[in-house]
Amino acid sequence: MTTAQANGILFVINRLETGGAEHVLLDLVRELQRRGRYRPVIACLKDRGPLAAPLEEAGIAVHEKLLADRYDYHAAPRLMRIIRGEGIRALTAVGSGGDRMFWGTIAARAAGVPVAVWAHIYSQPGHLNFESVNRLLYPLVRRFVALGRRHRRSMASLDKVPLGKIAVINNGVDVERFDHPEWRDRARSILGLADENVTAIAMIANLRADKRHDIFIAAARQIVRHRRDVHFFVIGDGPNRAAVHQWARQSGLLGQYLSVLGQREDVSQLLPGLDLVCLTSEYHECLSLSVLQAMAAGVPAVSYFIGSMDEAIVNNQTGFFFYQLSAAALRQRLLEVIGDGDLRREVAGHARDLVRRRFTVEKMTDDFTALFDSLPAPRGASIWRR
């Protein structure tokens, strides 16, 4: 195996499903593949998932079903065979803790390749990044990747990750895919908005309990009591869909003021038709991809102050914060922002500029390339031989 063939990076993930971390990974491995310096390989502990097809079409190897259950010790030798067979230089566990970190670290250590852990959860008391068993593996991990400065500090203070091991790499978005203001009329038509004076407000997130769609829908109901030139959209799918649909029905807003669109593959085409996006996550959220995508499209975000969102949002300059996670606080903030179109337009321009400077796929790939360059070479050339 030649040096070029051996320069692989193995990304270990549970499944390539529709989610922020998975979409960021897709963009990263595509850009790595395009540049050619490192050759990305994906290992899914479960089945491939719906996002695998475009990667395989691009020539990126995707392995699957490596873990039958959490106690399946055969996962480590399966990963080791991929490491040797694919000429892997380093392994990256995608996500915070769990089986990805545990089996990935064990396999990489046995195969003699360095490990990085790409964390996506913002630690809070009661909701920590890493389980006790994975904390025992800290000495075997070369680098941890945090998504922002506050994320780095929380990993060090709450998860007790050695501060010197933590690099900060912001999420990045494909700006050219989302920045299309000329699509606004078409997007408004798709969304069913005939009146340009209607303010379109969306929540784009997996339907999970921690995303707090109940707060978004309750705030929408309160806002409609004050003004009728608004329409709210819930975009996404997930395990909490039944509860979200129930809250939507009980709100009395469905149809005229609220639409639940489910999972959409055309979010980039819908964003130009929106005026605001909301983030109401209670925990786990660190640096929301959907917010960065909206900002790239020139759509300001109204976000709860959580995680490392202050990396992207400067209040009243590149977005809007509210500081108490309640429907009343969100309602008050939205009413202030809805009523000030000039401020929204000014913030939209600043948000778009900020994403182009700091949160692009290209910059994220530069940072990961520098991280991979800094990792030590695998131990012993023998691991490349079949």
Side-chain angles (χ1 to χ4, degrees):
M1 184 175 290
T2 67
T3 301
Q5 290 172 322
N7 222 22
I9 304 294
L10 181 63
F11 294 91
V12 179
I13 193 167
N14 281 336
R15 185 173 185 264
L16 288 169
E17 56 194 2
T18 302
E22 292 79 8
H23 277 288
V24 171
L25 174 62
L26 253 66
D27 285 341
L28 172 62
V29 298
R30 283 168 171 159
E31 183 64 12
L32 285 172
Q33 177 89 335
R34 186 189 69 79
R35 295 185 182 190
R37 181 167 182 172
Y38 289 109
R39 183 174 53 83
V41 178
I42 308 294
C44 298
L45 297 182
K46 300 178 181 179
D47 64 283
R48 279 175 165 81
L51 301 184
L55 294 185
E56 292 179 312
E57 291 170 3
I60 297 170
V62 179
H63 301 265
E64 68 171 341
K65 298 180 180 178
L66 302 174
L67 182 67
D69 58 63
R70 65 183 309 174
Y71 303 108
D72 180 12
Y73 63 87
H74 295 292
R78 290 180 189 123
L79 284 167
M80 289 174 64
R81 284 194 290 271
I82 295 171
I83 290 170
R84 293 188 173 106
E86 294 280 5
I88 299 302
R89 184 197 186 281
L91 183 148
T92 301
V94 183
S96 302
D99 295 324
R100 299 150 298 190
M101 177 178 171
F102 182 80
W103 293 113
T105 301
I106 295 297
R109 178 69 173 186
V113 300
V115 180
V117 174
W118 186 6
H120 287 269
I121 290 177
Y122 183 77
S123 288
Q124 296 169 267
H127 301 280
L128 299 181
N129 246 319
F130 304 109
E131 306 84 356
S132 297
V133 66
N134 277 319
R135 292 184 180 215
L136 297 176
L137 301 180
Y138 286 176
L140 306 184
V141 177
R142 283 285 179 170
R143 298 291 274 176
F144 292 82
V145 176
L147 304 187
R149 294 183 297 272
R150 292 183 73 231
H151 188 198
R152 182 174 184 258
R153 291 197 295 269
S154 79
M155 288 172 64
S157 63
L158 295 178
D159 292 299
K160 308 304 180 185
V161 177
L163 191 63
K165 284 191 172 187
I166 308 173
V168 173
I169 300 179
N170 296 141
N171 283 339
V173 299
D174 181 354
V175 174
E176 302 307 322
R177 182 179 166 212
F178 290 95
D179 189 8
H180 291 283
E182 72 276 11
W183 292 355
R184 182 168 174 84
D185 289 346
R186 183 178 67 173
R188 301 281 286 191
S189 177
I190 295 172
L191 292 168
L193 299 173
D195 186 350
E196 179 58 31
N197 294 318
V198 170
T199 302
I201 306 165
M203 184 168 173
I204 307 170
N206 285 334
L207 305 188
R208 298 199 317 260
D210 61 286
K211 297 294 187 179
R212 298 304 304 269
H213 290 80
D214 56 327
I215 288 177
F216 178 73
I217 293 171
R221 186 176 183 182
Q222 295 173 20
I223 287 169
V224 169
R225 293 173 187 161
H226 294 269
R227 56 190 308 158
R228 303 301 176 92
D229 56 342
V230 291
H231 197 102
F232 296 85
F233 296 90
V234 174
I235 302 174
D237 196 7
N240 213 35
R241 71 178 66 86
V244 172
H245 281 270
Q246 183 178 4
W247 296 328
R249 289 192 299 270
Q250 292 174 344
S251 73
L253 303 179
L254 268 177
Q256 188 172 5
Y257 298 108
L258 173 65
S259 298
V260 180
L261 302 185
Q263 186 62 43
R264 299 290 296 232
E265 301 303 322
D266 59 347
V267 169
S268 62
Q269 299 176 51
L270 297 180
L271 278 171
L274 301 175
D275 299 294
L276 293 166
V277 298
C278 290
L279 181 71
T280 58
S281 298
E282 184 172 19
Y283 51 84
H284 288 170
E285 197 75 59
C286 189
L287 188 59
S288 168
L289 181 66
S290 64
V291 166
L292 293 178
Q293 291 171 344
M295 292 171 65
V299 182
V302 178
S303 172
Y304 178 52
F305 189 90
I306 189 173
S308 285
M309 291 308 302
D310 61 336
E311 299 269 326
I313 294 177
V314 178
N315 197 31
N316 292 329
Q317 296 182 41
T318 62
F320 306 97
F321 277 128
F322 63 102
Y323 297 93
Q324 180 183 353
L325 190 58
S326 68
L330 177 58
R331 175 208 67 211
Q332 179 178 345
R333 196 65 172 116
L334 281 172
L335 285 173
E336 293 169 355
V337 174
I338 292 168
D340 195 337
D342 290 340
L343 177 60
R344 288 206 318 269
R345 285 185 286 274
E346 180 181 349
V347 167
H350 292 320
R352 180 186 280 116
D353 292 343
L354 178 66
V355 171
R356 283 190 172 273
R357 290 197 311 271
R358 287 192 51 194
F359 299 102
T360 65
V361 169
E362 292 77 15
K363 184 179 185 307
M364 177 177 66
T365 307
D366 289 343
D367 291 343
F368 267 103
T369 298
L371 173 70
F372 298 144
D373 287 347
S374 73
L375 295 175
R379 294 197 314 270
S382 61
I383 70 166
W384 306 130
R385 300 193 185 107
R386 300 293 295 274

